[in-house]
């Protein structure tokens, strides 16, 4: 008797098993996870770039009256706290760690906004007008807020896709049995209106 039937049967079985495993998210789950992690790296880079602008903000503030220096101190302290809290890719499933990161960044956003409001009437601080790179700093801060908004939107979309992948059939099987996957935490704008990039025109 020919061995062809049994060989063919084994081939069909192997092919079917391979398709079944692939259908269980063996490839799609890690792909979605790595995509979300990459988008989170973009978020952290955007926040770090904003933090890097704070020393320039401090230089501009030297043209303000002495009573505003306390607000600047708050900005600098908020920057230090925000910069000290970093989320590793493995922490993206931890709501408490995500909340700590969000709270620190929101505090920095609030501090920068408060300082901006104090300087909203630029004419009250004539020295600011003569500071070199004033307009450049204004543009950089506004642009950075936009980059942060875009990075957060892209991260949340990647998290949505990953969380959907690990919860839907048949990938949910691989998520539970093979990977032990946990949902990632989206970034939520706690501060009202934080999802809209603020205009800093004439505010600093």
């Amino acid at each position: 008797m020919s061995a062809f039937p049994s060989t063919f049967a084994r081939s069909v079985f192997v092919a079917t098993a391979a398709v079944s495993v692939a259908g269980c998210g063996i490839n799609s789950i890690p792909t979605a996870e790595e995509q979300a992690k990459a988008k989170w790296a973009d978020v952290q880079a955007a926040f770090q770039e904003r933090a890097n602008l704070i020393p320039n903000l401090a230089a501009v503030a030297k043209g303000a009256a002495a009573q505003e220096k306390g607000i600047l101190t708050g900005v600098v302290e908020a920057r230090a706290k925000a910069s000290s809290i970093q989320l590793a890719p493995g922490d993206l499933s931890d709501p408490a760690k995500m909340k700590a990161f969000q709270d620190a960044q929101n505090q920095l956003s609030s501090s920068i906004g408060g300082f901006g409001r104090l300087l909203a009437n630029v004419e009250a601080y004539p020295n600011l007008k003569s500071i070199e790179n004033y307009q450049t700093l204004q543009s950089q801060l506004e642009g950075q807020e936009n980059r942060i908004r875009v990075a957060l939107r892209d991260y949340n979309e990647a998290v949505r896709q990953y969380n959907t992948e690990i919860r839907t059939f048949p990938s949910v099987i691989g998520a539970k049995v093979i990977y032990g996957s946990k949902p990632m935490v989206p970034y939520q704008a706690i501060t009202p209106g934080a999802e809209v990039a603020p205009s800093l025109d004439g505010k600093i």
Side-chain angles (χ1 to χ4, degrees):
M1 179 182 290
S2 172
F4 175 74
S6 61
T7 301
F8 177 75
R10 282 198 299 271
S11 298
V12 170
F13 174 77
V14 170
T16 302
V19 170
S20 298
V21 170
C24 289
I26 195 73
N27 292 321
S28 58
I29 290 175
T31 297
E33 182 179 20
E34 291 305 314
Q35 177 72 358
K37 288 178 179 178
K39 294 302 181 183
W40 178 250
D42 292 342
V43 169
Q44 289 192 308
F47 276 125
Q48 184 58 51
E49 287 173 15
R50 180 178 69 171
N52 292 343
L53 290 173
I54 300 302
N56 294 336
L57 179 63
V60 168
K62 291 179 181 179
Q67 58 264 33
E68 275 69 47
K69 295 302 172 65
I71 300 298
L72 175 61
T73 298
V75 173
V76 173
E77 290 177 351
R79 173 190 186 269
K81 182 176 181 180
S83 298
S84 69
I85 300 177
Q86 298 293 322
L87 259 67
D91 297 329
L92 296 178
S93 297
D94 189 326
K97 291 182 178 179
M98 176 62 81
K99 184 177 186 304
F101 183 91
Q102 289 179 170
D103 288 348
Q105 295 298 337
N106 285 337
Q107 180 59 45
L108 179 54
S109 295
S110 178
S111 297
I112 292 175
F115 192 78
R117 286 189 294 273
L118 276 177
L119 299 182
N121 183 9
V122 180
E123 292 183 0
Y125 306 99
N127 290 336
L128 288 180
K129 293 182 178 180
S130 63
I131 292 179
E132 186 179 0
N133 294 329
Y134 167 73
Q135 294 294 336
T136 299
L137 175 60
Q138 177 177 311
S139 177
Q140 286 177 336
L141 282 171
E142 194 170 55
Q144 195 55 40
E145 292 295 342
N146 274 312
R147 283 188 283 275
I148 288 171
R149 179 176 58 85
V150 171
L152 289 175
R153 181 197 65 195
D154 291 347
Y155 166 71
N156 281 346
E157 175 58 20
V159 166
R160 184 194 68 76
Q161 292 180 12
Y162 169 75
N163 288 347
T164 300
E165 183 70 29
I166 66 172
R167 292 177 59 192
T168 53
F169 184 83
S171 293
V172 65
I173 298 173
K176 290 178 179 289
V177 177
I178 300 174
Y179 295 114
S181 304
K182 296 180 180 179
M184 289 185 178
V185 183
Y187 195 100
Q188 298 179 358
I190 299 175
T191 304
E195 71 280 2
V196 179
S199 173
L200 301 177
D201 186 30
K203 296 181 180 180
I204 63 170

